Amino acid sequence: MLLHIPGLFTREEVQRIRQALEQADWADGKITAGYQSAKAKHNLQLPEAHPLAKEIGSAMIERLWSNPRFMSAALPFKVFPPLVNCYREGGSFGFHIDNAIRQPRGSHERVRTDLSSTLFFSDPDEYDGGELEIQDTYGLQQVKLAAGDMVLYPGTSLHKVNPVTRGARYAAFFWTQSMVREDSQRALLFEMDNAIQQLTVDVPDHPSLIQLTGTYHNLLRRWAEV
């Protein structure tokens, strides 16, 4: 399931973040790449301990935990602290699959990367190239969203970032360990949750809503790992 989550940050917030990122000291993006990924990765990244990366990451997690669309689709159990990167002219990241397990620096806790996410801090007209290409069950999907918007997709997906040929592409990325490991099960629960919410608006007193809601929670109980 590939999902667009709009407006996680306002235009004013994005502008302030961008100003800070443009003045930041960047490191080579290979610092957080695995052995195979490092050979394909050509970008810049804020170190995990960088105060700006921590500030942006904390704000993102706070927004995500109060975002109904993310909570319903991801069913999050753990979130790897968001990282921030930059692709300038010539920057790219070839096809790869993210490491299955990530461990935040300085932590003993491990996170299984069921879901990958990218939040854009640059608008599409500010740079050429830089599309996030994701290979999913419907073929190759190209993603280039407005600043402040986020895409959520399975961590098992083969994906890449096309070369940036003009401007700079600023973004944050992170991984989520879901309570429900299988993407197909999460997708079914997400669709059912959306249907329940819509029916609650359209026919709030219909007795079948109790049955449908009960079925949702029984499926979640069957599939969840907590």
Side-chain angles (χ1 to χ4, degrees), residues 26 42 55 72 78 97 123 135 142 150 155 161 164 181 185 197 204 211:
W26 295 86
H42 307 284
E55 181 181 351
S72 177
K78 300 178 187 177
I97 293 177
D123 279 315
Q135 183 74 49
Q142 281 199 349
M150 190 182 90
V161 176
V164 170
R181 183 192 300 252
Q185 294 172 346
Q197 292 182 46
Q211 282 184 307

Side-chain angles (χ1 to χ4, degrees), residues 20 23-27 45-56:
Q23 299 171 15
D25 294 324
W26 295 86
Q45 189 168 304
L46 292 183
E48 288 183 54
H50 195 291
L52 181 57
K54 288 186 172 182
E55 181 181 351
I56 293 171

Side-chain angles (χ1 to χ4, degrees), residues 70-218:
F70 173 78
M71 296 300 289
S72 177
L75 296 169
F77 179 51
K78 300 178 187 177
V79 172
F80 186 93
L83 302 170
V84 183
N85 62 18
C86 173
Y87 291 82
R88 293 178 179 156
E89 292 184 26
S92 66
F93 197 165
F95 270 125
H96 64 285
I97 293 177
D98 293 330
N99 290 353
I101 306 294
R102 307 287 305 204
Q103 184 171 349
R105 186 178 297 276
S107 171
H108 296 294
E109 189 171 53
R110 293 179 174 86
V111 178
R112 190 182 65 231
T113 58
D114 297 325
L115 292 153
S116 298
S117 299
T118 296
L119 190 149
F120 292 80
F121 290 126
S122 298
D123 279 315
D125 61 357
E126 294 181 306
Y127 60 100
D128 292 335
E131 300 87 357
L132 173 62
E133 289 198 359
I134 303 167
Q135 183 74 49
D136 70 3
T137 53
Y138 299 102
L140 195 64
Q141 309 292 314
Q142 281 199 349
V143 181
K144 193 173 184 179
L145 301 179
D149 288 11
M150 190 182 90
V151 63
L152 179 74
Y153 61 97
T156 55
S157 303
L158 190 67
H159 60 284
K160 70 173 180 175
V161 176
N162 286 332
V164 170
T165 57
R166 176 188 66 87
R169 175 194 188 271
Y170 294 97
F173 62 102
F174 66 97
W175 298 274
T176 302
Q177 179 173 330
S178 177
M179 292 185 289
V180 177
R181 183 192 300 252
E182 291 296 327
D183 180 60
S184 60
Q185 294 172 346
R186 286 195 307 271
L188 179 62
L189 289 167
F190 179 61
E191 291 172 5
M192 187 177 292
D193 189 31
N194 284 338
I196 291 169
Q197 292 182 46
Q198 189 60 53
L199 288 170
T200 301
V201 173
D202 295 341
V203 285
D205 298 321
H206 199 290
S208 293
L209 268 173
I210 296 174
Q211 282 184 307
L212 187 58
T213 302
T215 299
Y216 171 89
H217 285 287
N218 284 334

